[in-house]
Amino acid sequence: MQDLELIKVHGTYYKDFMKNLESHTNILDLTNVLISQDDIRKCYTYDMYGGHLSKLGNEIVSKLIAKKVRSIMTTEV
């Protein structure tokens, strides 16, 4: 959660790394989806750092991962 709050204010700091990685493997960056939530904190459990996804966060992430996996499976078959 702290990383997302930092990115929301200062922008994505890892774009070059992701571009490089993209040429070697499938990438699913969930940053923009999580940042676009009305309240990022609802996507994480309540603790000092917000290091774990909450039920809502897990639902959002699992749906996006499932969609990406379906997309990969249908394009690579």
Side-chain angles (χ1 to χ4, degrees):
M1 182 176 69
Q2 289 180 337
D3 285 331
L4 292 177
E5 290 172 341
L6 180 69
I7 290 168
K8 197 171 189 175
V9 173
H10 298 287
T12 306
Y13 54 86
Y14 55 84
K15 284 182 185 181
D16 292 337
F17 172 73
M18 293 297 270
K19 275 188 173 182
N20 184 35
L21 199 56
E22 236 175 6
S23 64
H24 302 289
T25 190
N26 293 307
I27 299 292
L28 178 59
D29 186 356
L30 302 168
T31 305
N32 290 335
V33 172
L34 292 170
I35 286 176
S36 70
Q37 300 302 307
D38 291 334
D39 186 356
I40 294 172
R41 293 174 186 197
K42 289 183 179 179
C43 294
Y44 289 87
T45 58
Y46 180 76
D47 66 9
M48 181 183 237
Y49 304 107
H52 298 281
L53 292 170
S54 65
K55 182 178 178 180
L56 173 63
N58 277 307
E59 287 174 4
I60 292 167
V61 168
S62 64
K63 287 177 184 177
L64 292 168
I65 291 172
K67 183 178 178 181
K68 178 72 170 185
V69 168
R70 280 192 296 275
S71 171
I72 292 168
M73 290 178 68
T74 58
T75 58
E76 293 186 5
V77 173

